[in-house]
Amino acid sequence: MSHSSRQRRLTAAALTALAVAVSATACSSGSGSTDARGGGSGTYTIWDPYPQFDKGSAWVKLLDRCGTEAGVKIKRTAFDTSDLGNKTLLAAQQGNSPDVLIVDNPVVSTLAEAGVLTTTDDTKLDTSKVDPNLLAAGRSGGKTYGTPIGANTLALYYNKKVLKEAGVDIASVKDRTSLTAALAKVKKAGKKGVTFSAIGTEEGSFQFLPWFWGAGAKLTRLDSAQAVSALSLWTDWLKQGYAPNSVLNNTQTTSWQEFAGGDYAFAENGTWQLANARKAGLDYGVLPIPAATGGNAAAPTGGEFVTIPVQDDTARYTTSQKVTACLTSADNLYDTDTTLSYVAPTSEVQNKQVAANVELKPWIEAVKSAKGRTSDNLGTKYPKISEQMWKAVQSALSGSNSPKNALTSAQNAVK
């Protein structure tokens, strides 16, 4: 594809979608350099969303090592997660794309539909060992764009002390009904039930999705009976006092802070809080979010994809593929995903993670049941659907609307 044809495809719609489709998970903080790609044919550029890692970090040393193995020098630039998608679109417009791009998984389909990314067929990148549910987040129009470097997702942290005092056996929590019964016992014992984030942003949608999908609902039908039952669950929890009104404004960080205080039985949060859980000194456990009638609900996947942007000089793809394959090899994935508190995208490395840290077992179970937010070929439709979803959640939890009416309005807005 020529530079001029790519430029025509980089539409305002793509920019709008990227403004919404940013990670709801443990995002990097800080800002990176805005340098464009540089150097000659012996220099390959990599853009990533990890500005917290400096030149002396294991991550940057890995980038340099992969470049050396491919026979080139690496020029790395780190961006804030929320900036990286738009910077990538701008660079593509200018014919200045990086050779390798590591980007939040919901953004992949937007960049792909804008014509910015190559497919794995184009670059011969092997993704055969990646768990299909994780790879799906990088698929659009039947093609795959890149490979995941790791995944995080949501589960329920629980406070063993609070549950013991309330007479709750965690083994009894197998579905929505038994979870609600546990919350009732906790409240009766004078403790607090469950905290989560229902804020009016992508974070709110991210946290609602396990309950939505776990009820059997689909993002193409926000007003289905299954969707209404999921939102009614949350609404009833607030009415019964099992969840606090603060969830309306809670981010995942502030809801975690509530749980870390020690009074809550449960908190919905992610792998990125594991280090904080240890620091809090809580006697805690982790439970995959139960589906409505039992089993594990599909929770949304967070984490990044390693992609190869379109270049005018297609001869560069061979080296870019070598660098990408190095970054996502089994040995390197283990080290990188340990650093990022991610679950690896392959069973081979997941098994190695559990052998080293048994605490990761419930997280790996959750990731194996997880689902990409843009899966089912939603692509750039997802941001609009998500926005209407979080608005419906806010409307119902605040009491402004019934769950049914809130979701009916959301579905009408999406149409």
Side-chain angles (χ1 to χ4, degrees):
M1 183 186 297
S2 71
H3 169 56
S4 59
S5 62
R6 284 208 313 276
Q7 188 168 1
R8 287 195 294 272
R9 292 187 61 185
L10 302 180
T11 62
L15 288 165
T16 300
L18 274 173
V20 180
V22 295
S23 178
T25 57
C27 296
S28 306
S29 59
S31 58
S33 164
T34 57
D35 290 348
R37 55 173 291 196
S41 60
T43 299
Y44 276 63
T45 54
I46 294 179
W47 288 3
D48 70 49
Y50 312 130
Q52 71 271 34
F53 297 131
D54 60 21
K55 289 182 179 179
S57 67
W59 168 246
V60 176
K61 289 178 181 177
L62 172 61
L63 296 180
D64 290 338
R65 187 166 73 247
C66 286
T68 298
E69 289 180 11
V72 296
K73 181 180 179 181
I74 296 297
K75 177 180 173 61
R76 177 251 186 173
T77 306
F79 294 93
D80 210 32
T81 300
S82 57
D83 293 336
L84 185 54
N86 286 329
K87 290 286 197 309
T88 300
L89 281 173
L90 181 61
Q93 287 178 321
Q94 297 170 343
N96 207 20
S97 294
D99 292 290
V100 176
L101 172 70
I102 302 168
V103 67
D104 195 23
N105 74 66
V107 178
V108 173
S109 59
T110 298
L111 293 177
E113 290 183 31
V116 174
L117 303 179
T118 62
T119 71
T120 53
D121 288 336
D122 294 332
T123 60
K124 310 305 179 188
L125 185 64
D126 183 10
T127 60
S128 60
K129 293 184 179 180
V130 178
D131 287 352
N133 65 315
L134 301 181
L135 193 63
R139 288 184 60 80
S140 180
K143 297 183 181 298
T144 304
Y145 297 84
T147 188
I149 199 166
N152 54 34
T153 194
L154 297 166
L156 289 176
Y157 286 85
Y158 59 88
N159 186 317
K160 294 180 181 179
K161 180 181 177 183
V162 171
L163 292 182
K164 183 178 180 180
E165 291 176 356
V168 174
D169 179 2
I170 193 62
S172 69
V173 179
K174 299 179 181 297
D175 53 25
R176 303 287 167 78
T177 300
S178 54
L179 175 58
T180 300
L183 295 176
K185 282 188 175 183
V186 169
K187 183 187 177 187
K188 189 175 181 181
K191 295 293 185 178
K192 297 177 180 178
V194 60
T195 180
F196 49 88
S197 169
I199 194 169
T201 67
E202 175 62 19
E203 278 188 85
S205 290
F206 189 75
Q207 290 237 318
F208 182 59
L209 277 171
W211 313 96
F212 180 88
W213 282 332
K218 296 182 179 180
L219 286 169
T220 50
R221 278 289 312 279
L222 292 178
D223 58 348
S224 68
Q226 295 90 338
V228 172
S229 73
L231 186 49
S232 295
L233 178 76
W234 271 17
T235 304
D236 290 344
W237 283 355
L238 261 67
K239 288 179 180 176
Q240 297 295 329
Y242 301 157
N245 289 326
S246 59
V247 300
L248 277 159
N249 297 309
N250 270 348
T251 63
Q252 294 179 112
T253 299
T254 55
S255 67
W256 176 259
Q257 290 167 348
E258 289 179 335
F259 179 72
D263 291 331
Y264 280 89
F266 296 95
E268 181 183 359
N269 229 295
T271 47
W272 54 91
Q273 298 292 6
L274 276 171
N276 289 329
R278 297 186 195 103
K279 288 178 185 177
L282 299 174
D283 187 9
Y284 73 93
V286 177
L287 178 74
I289 295 171
T293 57
N296 297 342
T301 55
E304 291 79 40
F305 263 61
V306 187
T307 66
I308 298 175
V310 171
Q311 304 290 342
D312 289 330
D313 180 5
T314 59
R316 297 182 72 87
Y317 295 156
T318 299
T319 299
S320 296
Q321 186 272 348
K322 289 179 181 178
V323 172
T324 300
C326 174
L327 292 175
T328 56
S329 69
D331 289 341
N332 291 333
L333 274 179
Y334 176 78
D335 293 336
T336 297
D337 289 337
T338 299
T339 299
L340 295 172
S341 292
Y342 281 176
V343 171
T346 68
S347 295
E348 177 186 1
V349 183
Q350 290 167 4
N351 292 338
K352 189 175 179 181
Q353 287 181 304
V354 171
N357 181 4
V358 72
E359 287 184 5
L360 289 175
K361 186 175 181 180
W363 290 109
I364 287 172
E365 289 178 15
V367 163
K368 284 188 174 297
S369 298
K371 185 174 181 178
R373 283 164 275 176
T374 58
S375 295
D376 301 327
N377 280 320
L378 287 178
T380 53
K381 297 176 185 175
Y382 172 75
K384 184 175 182 181
I385 294 170
S386 174
E387 182 178 6
Q388 295 308 317
M389 175 183 282
W390 82 57
K391 286 180 177 179
V393 169
Q394 286 266 305
S395 179
L397 295 189
S398 67
S400 300
N401 244 321
S402 69
K404 181 175 177 57
N405 289 342
L407 288 167
T408 297
S409 296
Q411 182 63 27
N412 289 337
V414 170
K415 287 179 181 178

